[in-house]
Amino acid sequence: MVVLVTGGAGFIGSNFLLRSVVARPDLTFVNVDALTYAGNPYSLEAIAEAPNYRFEHVDITDRAAVDQVFDKHDPTVVVHLAAESHVDRSIASPDAFIRTNINGTFHLLEAFRGHSAGKEGARFHHVSTDEVYGSLGPTGLFREDTPYDPSSPYSASKAASDHLVRAHARTFGVPVTITNCSNNYGARQFPEKLIPLMVLKALAEEPLPVYGTGENVRDWLHVDDHCEAIWAVLDRGKVGETYNVGGRCELTNLDVVHQICDVVAAETQRDSDALRKLITFVRDRPGHDLRYAIDASKIERECGWTPSVSFTEGLRQTVRWYLENPEWIARVRSGEYRRWLAEHYDGRHSA
Ligand code: NAD
Ligand code: TYD
């Protein structure tokens, strides 16, 4: 059986494929990825020659190319991860988010409907975010029936894609499942997101730019636990259902950055207080959601999934991974990345 994974060269996709290609030799995995700035084929070197792995350099905004991939590989299952994924970039230039996250998802759904939906075991699994629900106040949790209320162009485009997936299920009977997951961290995450950005900046002893007051709360989940959640839903989830995925690990951004300083200090024999002094409060993100927190009881109850990596252990592993993989870091630090840092952070130091 062929499993088509979109966005497999990105952070979650590469971790998903590295685990799955080895653990599930009976399945053939086709990675469909446009290799944007966020896609890094170097992340996949360990499986590049595996007999059950193929790579297709395809942009999902190209409808004809998507159809050709379906014709060529005849997938039964799609795990849709490809997206523009960074909130700050969606504020700076939203167009690509509309094209990839909305139009790209639509193209995949149409191709799946035409080629795969009638097959035995067919499934379109859409990987989405808790950000579609908007922002929580100090209390409460996102449940699967929480109304959508996205704040950023990123979360609005993901909300639109979720709606398209459900529309294809209701209108055309396409067998779908959706997971809405909280913030992931772990190896191979592009250093634009909070945790890898702060790890690399702490290692370089550069200012650590915390937006606003640092009191915003995120619910952190190790990427390996997210990958297992996707498999739990593929294997045991009910077609047509949505499952929220989260780590029961709420932390303020300031807490996270403090812990990063402590771990980086411990792993590199530096002084944690000196690293903490690098924290700089900078101008807040427009429309910055205050708090995300997930009620994951449905996936726990119905699919038998629970997170297994503690934040303390996961963060230590993550810092070690970045320390042990300077070549990976060098490859993602392209001119494009340096340009993003210069445009986004220079002159922002006015909280
Ligand atoms: P990422 O930005 O690291 O990777 C995205 C991948 O998609 C890259 O390999 C990129 O090349 C590819 N891609 C982008 N545009 C494409 C296009 N037009 N055609 C084909 N490929 C394209 O993202 P990630 O953090 O791995 O997130 C993966 C998915 O999980 C996304 O859908 C995201 O919304 C969702 N998600 C992420 C998180 C998180 O914390 N990272 C949490 C919940 C849900
Ligand atoms: P991010 O990793 O971009 O994920 P998301 O916005 O999807 O939750 O950001 C996580 C939190 O960290 C968010 O509240 C914004 C904050 N943040 C900073 O304070 N400084 C930074 O440089 C970045 C990238 C994020």
Side-chain angles (χ1 to χ4, degrees), residues 21-22 29 45-54:
V21 165
V22 175
F29 292 87
E45 267 188 353
I47 54 164
E49 304 300 326
N52 62 332
Y53 173 73
R54 318 262 185 281

Side-chain angles (χ1 to χ4, degrees), residues 131 183 192-194 197 209 211 218 253 285 288 345:
E131 301 189 27
N183 288 61
E192 63 190 355
K193 307 276 166 49
L194 179 72
L197 181 100
Y211 298 163
R218 297 292 181 263
N253 293 337
R285 171 189 282 172
H288 197 175
Y345 292 100

Side-chain angles (χ1 to χ4, degrees), residues 6-14 31-40 58-62 80-86 96 99-101 104 126-131 154 158 179-185 188-190 192-193 220-221 223 226:
T6 69
F11 162 50
I12 300 171
S14 59
N31 175 14
V32 170
D33 200 298
L35 300 181
T36 68
Y37 79 92
N40 187 354
V58 162
D59 189 324
I60 61 167
T61 65
D62 180 344
H80 178 31
L81 289 141
E84 289 290 338
S85 67
H86 186 36
R99 284 195 300 273
T100 291
N101 299 359
H126 180 58
V127 178
S128 193
T129 168
D130 60 355
E131 301 189 27
Y154 164 67
K158 292 297 289 188
T179 40
N180 292 90
C181 187
S182 63
N183 288 61
N184 284 210
Y185 70 99
R188 301 174 195 84
Q189 187 168 30
F190 193 83
E192 63 190 355
K193 307 276 166 49
W220 292 97
L221 182 72
V223 65
H226 186 188

Side-chain angles (χ1 to χ4, degrees), residues 100-119:
T100 291
N101 299 359
I102 304 179
N103 296 335
T105 301
F106 173 67
H107 296 158
L108 286 164
L109 283 165
E110 285 293 279
F112 186 82
R113 175 158 83 99
H115 291 75
S116 314
K119 296 168 80 167

Side-chain angles (χ1 to χ4, degrees), residues 128-199:
S128 193
T129 168
D130 60 355
E131 301 189 27
V132 297
Y133 300 121
S135 184
L136 289 166
T139 59
L141 299 172
F142 294 136
R143 294 159 40 97
E144 287 78 2
D145 57 6
T146 300
Y148 276 30
D149 187 21
S151 301
S152 71
Y154 164 67
S155 51
S157 68
K158 292 297 289 188
S161 68
D162 292 9
H163 290 320
L164 282 170
V165 172
R166 287 199 189 93
H168 269 66
R170 281 192 214 160
T171 305
F172 304 117
V174 173
V176 307
T177 40
I178 300 179
T179 40
N180 292 90
C181 187
S182 63
N183 288 61
N184 284 210
Y185 70 99
R188 301 174 195 84
Q189 187 168 30
F190 193 83
E192 63 190 355
K193 307 276 166 49
L194 179 72
I195 289 186
L197 181 100
M198 294 295 176
V199 169

Side-chain angles (χ1 to χ4, degrees), residues 6-327:
T6 69
F11 162 50
I12 300 171
S14 59
N15 285 290
F16 182 80
L17 282 168
L18 288 168
R19 297 164 74 77
S20 306
V21 165
V22 175
R24 311 233 173 182
D26 50 316
L27 302 175
T28 296
F29 292 87
V30 178
N31 175 14
V32 170
D33 200 298
L35 300 181
T36 68
Y37 79 92
N40 187 354
Y42 185 56
S43 297
L44 295 162
E45 267 188 353
I47 54 164
E49 304 300 326
N52 62 332
Y53 173 73
R54 318 262 185 281
F55 176 68
E56 291 286 356
H57 188 194
V58 162
D59 189 324
I60 61 167
T61 65
D62 180 344
R63 174 74 185 271
V66 169
D67 277 335
Q68 275 168 19
V69 164
F70 274 73
D71 278 341
K72 182 171 165 191
H73 294 284
D74 195 22
T76 302
V77 173
V78 168
V79 179
H80 178 31
L81 289 141
E84 289 290 338
S85 67
H86 186 36
V87 172
D88 294 316
R89 284 182 194 259
S90 83
I91 296 167
S93 38
D95 302 51
F97 289 73
I98 307 306
R99 284 195 300 273
T100 291
N101 299 359
I102 304 179
N103 296 335
T105 301
F106 173 67
H107 296 158
L108 286 164
L109 283 165
E110 285 293 279
F112 186 82
R113 175 158 83 99
H115 291 75
S116 314
K119 296 168 80 167
E120 199 184 328
R123 179 80 69 86
F124 187 101
H125 181 72
H126 180 58
V127 178
S128 193
T129 168
D130 60 355
E131 301 189 27
V132 297
Y133 300 121
S135 184
L136 289 166
T139 59
L141 299 172
F142 294 136
R143 294 159 40 97
E144 287 78 2
D145 57 6
T146 300
Y148 276 30
D149 187 21
S151 301
S152 71
Y154 164 67
S155 51
S157 68
K158 292 297 289 188
S161 68
D162 292 9
H163 290 320
L164 282 170
V165 172
R166 287 199 189 93
H168 269 66
R170 281 192 214 160
T171 305
F172 304 117
V174 173
V176 307
T177 40
I178 300 179
T179 40
N180 292 90
C181 187
S182 63
N183 288 61
N184 284 210
Y185 70 99
R188 301 174 195 84
Q189 187 168 30
F190 193 83
E192 63 190 355
K193 307 276 166 49
L194 179 72
I195 289 186
L197 181 100
M198 294 295 176
V199 169
L200 296 194
K201 283 188 177 290
L203 288 170
E205 298 184 13
E206 291 172 3
L208 306 174
V210 172
Y211 298 163
T213 58
E215 281 159 12
N216 302 67
V217 170
R218 297 292 181 263
D219 174 355
W220 292 97
L221 182 72
H222 192 271
V223 65
D224 289 350
D225 280 324
H226 186 188
C227 294
E228 285 310 308
I230 293 169
W231 276 116
V233 170
L234 285 171
D235 290 340
R236 296 182 292 281
K238 214 167 118 205
V239 168
E241 292 291 312
T242 290
Y243 298 89
N244 280 354
V245 183
R248 293 184 196 283
C249 175
E250 286 185 50
L251 293 168
T252 66
N253 293 337
L254 204 52
D255 279 343
V256 170
V257 178
H258 284 157
Q259 290 197 43
I260 290 171
C261 291
D262 294 348
V263 176
V264 167
E267 293 293 324
T268 62
Q269 291 79 50
R270 285 181 232 205
D271 176 19
S272 182
D273 287 337
L275 292 180
R276 285 182 181 213
K277 289 205 178 86
L278 294 169
I279 291 172
T280 314
F281 293 97
V282 302
R283 192 174 68 243
D284 208 355
R285 171 189 282 172
H288 197 175
D289 288 333
L290 176 68
R291 176 171 164 262
Y292 303 145
I294 286 273
D295 177 350
S297 54
K298 181 175 172 185
I299 187 173
E300 291 174 353
R301 194 174 57 247
E302 294 187 13
C303 307
W305 173 88
T306 45
S308 64
V309 184
S310 72
F311 189 73
T312 309
E313 182 47 32
L315 187 61
R316 191 161 41 227
Q317 277 176 24
T318 304
V319 170
R320 282 191 189 147
W321 189 88
Y322 283 95
L323 278 169
E324 286 162 7
N325 288 277
E327 250 189 89

